């Protein structure tokens, strides 16, 4: 047999094998689309997760995987609000995170460095992207303020829910025209202070003043104005809310923290907390609790953590111990 005949024979066998495989796949597809009992058409019942025959009702497949969403929507707005395609929107960005961000790394998708010409092109794109993202003064104002809120919240160790609430408060102040005559930093700091109070993770005015770009007087004046105009419901700060943070910073035991809470509750029942700074009361309670549990903490250490004077701690902790039944000054 010649080489040409052999090649033709092999080619014919390959073609026959390919045709047989194609025919088998076609038959399998037809069998999948038709009922194995009566040959009727099959339809997918997505509600029950079944594949049934339209003629005889035979259930060919059951418990199929539903690849659609697990939620139901009855109108377009509800569908848009429940859809989770893409990144979630957030009030912590001036455009709510809906615009495109161009990274600062001059690398392509494979991690390779860009050429000099490509870097110039990317820089121009970043410039135009920033210009389109902040097209008017209101958006530039919002971008600067939200950046300040994020910076201060990071410095104070505040959680994300506080940052989100502070961003919403600032947006409300901006929409109600409360900014004229006041600085962006002042309103942003007041919004963060109010959000921390609402979330039960308050920070003192001295702590806010250290990370802010405004002084304490402007902060308190702006805070009262924002709360009054926006009708925010903010309860007075509870001294017990400061205790866990102070105790953690001073590395005190759980027993000392419980003792500090007990001292503060006794102070409330006695009424000596009225008119006094909650930060000072909390710091004094932590110091007194450390004395009662025989833990070594100095007034200077508590003063540094709470950002108050040692004189305030000395005055308050004696009052707390006098109000306590177990007080050593009673």
């Amino acid at each position: 047999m010649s080489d040409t005949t052999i090649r033709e024979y092999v080619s014919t066998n390959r073609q026959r094998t390919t045709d047989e495989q194609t025919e088998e796949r076609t038959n399998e597809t037809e069998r999948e689309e038709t009922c194995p009992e009566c040959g009727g058409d099959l339809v997918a019942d997505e509600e029950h997760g079944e594949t049934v025959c339209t003629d005889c009702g035979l259930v060919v497949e059951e418990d199929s995987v539903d690849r659609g969403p697990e939620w139901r929507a009855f109108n377009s707005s509800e569908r848009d609000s429940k859809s989770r395609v893409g990144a979630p929107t957030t009030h912590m960005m001036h455009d709510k995170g809906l615009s495109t961000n161009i990274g600062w790394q001059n690398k392509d998708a494979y991690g390779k460095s860009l050429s000099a010409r490509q870097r110039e092109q990317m820089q121009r794109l970043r410039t135009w992207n920033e210009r389109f993202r902040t097209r008017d003064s209101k958006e530039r104002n919002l971008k600067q303020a939200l950046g300040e809120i994020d910076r201060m919240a990071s410095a104070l160790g505040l959680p994300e829910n506080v940052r989100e609430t502070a961003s919403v408060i600032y947006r409300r102040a901006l929409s109600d025209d409360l900014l004229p005559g006041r600085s962006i930093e002042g309103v942003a700091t007041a919004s963060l202070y109010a959000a921390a109070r609402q979330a039960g993770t308050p920070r003192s005015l001295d702590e806010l003043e250290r990370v802010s770009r405004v002084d304490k007087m402007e902060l308190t004046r702006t805070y009262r104005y924002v709360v009054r105009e926006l009708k925010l419901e903010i309860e007075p700060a509870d001294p017990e809310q400061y205790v866990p943070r102070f105790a953690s910073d001073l590395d005190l035991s759980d027993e000392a923290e419980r003792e500090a809470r007990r001292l503060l509750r006794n102070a409330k029942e006695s009424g000596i907390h009225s008119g006094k700074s909650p930060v000072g009361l909390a710091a004094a309670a932590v110091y007194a609790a450390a004395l009662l549990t025989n833990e070594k903490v100095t007034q200077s250490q508590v003063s540094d953590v709470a950002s108050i004077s040692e004189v305030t701690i000395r005055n308050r902790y004696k009052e707390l111990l006098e109000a306590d039944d177990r007080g050593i000054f009673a």
Side-chain angles (χ1 to χ4, degrees):
M1 185 180 293
S2 63
D3 293 341
T4 305
T5 306
I6 293 175
R7 284 196 294 269
E8 291 177 355
Y9 176 77
V10 172
S11 177
T12 304
N13 286 340
R14 286 179 179 175
Q15 184 66 31
R16 186 181 299 115
T17 303
T18 304
D19 294 340
E20 291 175 355
Q21 291 176 350
T22 304
E23 185 177 357
E24 288 178 0
R25 285 196 294 268
T26 304
N27 293 335
E28 289 178 0
T29 304
E30 291 178 353
R31 284 197 298 270
E32 291 176 356
E33 295 177 353
T34 58
C35 177
E37 293 291 334
C38 65
D41 296 332
L42 299 179
V43 294
D45 186 356
E46 296 180 357
E47 183 178 357
H48 299 90
E50 298 173 344
T51 302
V52 299
C53 176
T54 57
D55 295 339
C56 65
L58 176 67
V59 178
V60 178
E61 184 182 357
E62 60 181 352
D63 297 331
S64 60
V65 178
D66 184 7
R67 304 190 182 279
E70 81 283 2
W71 43 263
R72 294 189 302 170
F74 302 98
N75 53 51
S76 59
S77 61
E78 189 176 357
R79 186 180 302 106
D80 294 338
S81 63
K82 290 184 176 181
S83 178
R84 293 190 294 274
V85 178
T89 58
T90 173
H91 291 282
M92 294 186 292
M93 300 180 68
H94 71 283
D95 52 8
K96 297 186 179 181
L98 298 177
S99 63
T100 302
N101 290 324
I102 301 178
W104 55 270
Q105 299 93 343
N106 291 317
K107 295 182 179 180
D108 60 10
Y110 300 98
K112 298 180 180 179
S113 299
L114 301 179
S115 63
R117 182 174 181 181
Q118 289 174 329
R119 286 198 298 270
E120 292 178 0
Q121 292 176 345
M122 293 303 299
Q123 187 58 41
R124 284 197 296 270
L125 287 175
R126 292 190 192 99
T127 302
W128 280 106
N129 185 52
E130 287 299 319
R131 290 175 181 174
F132 280 117
R133 289 180 65 189
T134 54
R135 288 171 291 184
D136 53 26
S137 59
K138 185 176 181 180
E139 289 188 359
R140 287 192 295 270
N141 181 315
L142 196 57
K143 182 180 179 181
Q144 179 182 349
L146 297 183
E148 279 291 298
I149 290 175
D150 187 66
R151 180 187 64 81
M152 292 185 292
S154 299
L156 294 171
L158 292 172
E160 186 174 342
N161 65 310
V162 176
R163 308 181 192 195
E164 191 85 23
T165 304
S167 302
V168 173
I169 293 174
Y170 188 88
R171 287 175 183 271
R172 289 183 55 191
L174 184 62
S175 62
D176 291 353
D177 292 331
L178 303 184
L179 269 295
R182 291 164 183 84
S183 66
I184 296 175
E185 292 82 1
V187 179
T189 309
S191 301
L192 184 61
Y193 181 62
R197 292 275 297 272
Q198 283 185 334
T201 56
R203 296 294 187 268
S204 65
L205 291 173
D206 293 328
E207 290 177 294
L208 264 296
E209 185 183 15
R210 282 204 306 268
V211 300
S212 176
R213 293 188 172 96
V214 296
D215 57 18
K216 189 174 181 180
M217 182 176 297
E218 181 181 353
L219 171 58
T220 53
R221 184 170 59 247
T222 307
Y223 169 72
R224 295 193 187 99
Y225 176 74
V226 170
V227 171
R228 183 178 65 252
E229 293 297 324
L230 296 182
K231 296 180 175 59
L232 300 178
E233 296 181 0
I234 300 177
E235 298 179 356
D238 188 352
E240 289 190 40
Q241 294 175 337
Y242 295 92
V243 170
R245 181 160 57 91
F246 293 168
S248 176
D249 293 341
L250 294 169
D251 199 20
L252 297 179
S253 63
D254 294 340
E255 182 184 0
E257 184 176 339
R258 287 193 299 269
E259 191 69 23
R261 291 179 181 274
R262 188 185 64 80
L263 290 172
L264 289 174
R265 285 193 289 269
N266 290 339
K268 293 177 185 176
E269 294 174 359
S270 303
I272 66 173
H273 71 292
S274 179
K276 295 180 174 63
S277 168
V279 181
L281 282 174
V286 169
Y287 177 70
L291 292 180
L292 295 175
T293 56
N294 297 321
E295 298 188 31
K296 295 182 179 180
V297 173
T298 64
Q299 294 181 4
S300 176
Q301 291 175 321
V302 179
S303 174
D304 293 338
V305 168
S307 300
I308 59 174
S309 65
E310 297 181 24
V311 177
T312 302
I313 296 176
R314 281 195 292 272
N315 294 335
R316 296 294 174 266
Y317 98 89
K318 292 179 181 179
E319 295 174 357
L320 291 174
L321 292 177
E322 288 174 357
D324 185 35
D325 295 336
R326 295 171 52 192
I328 59 178
F329 290 92

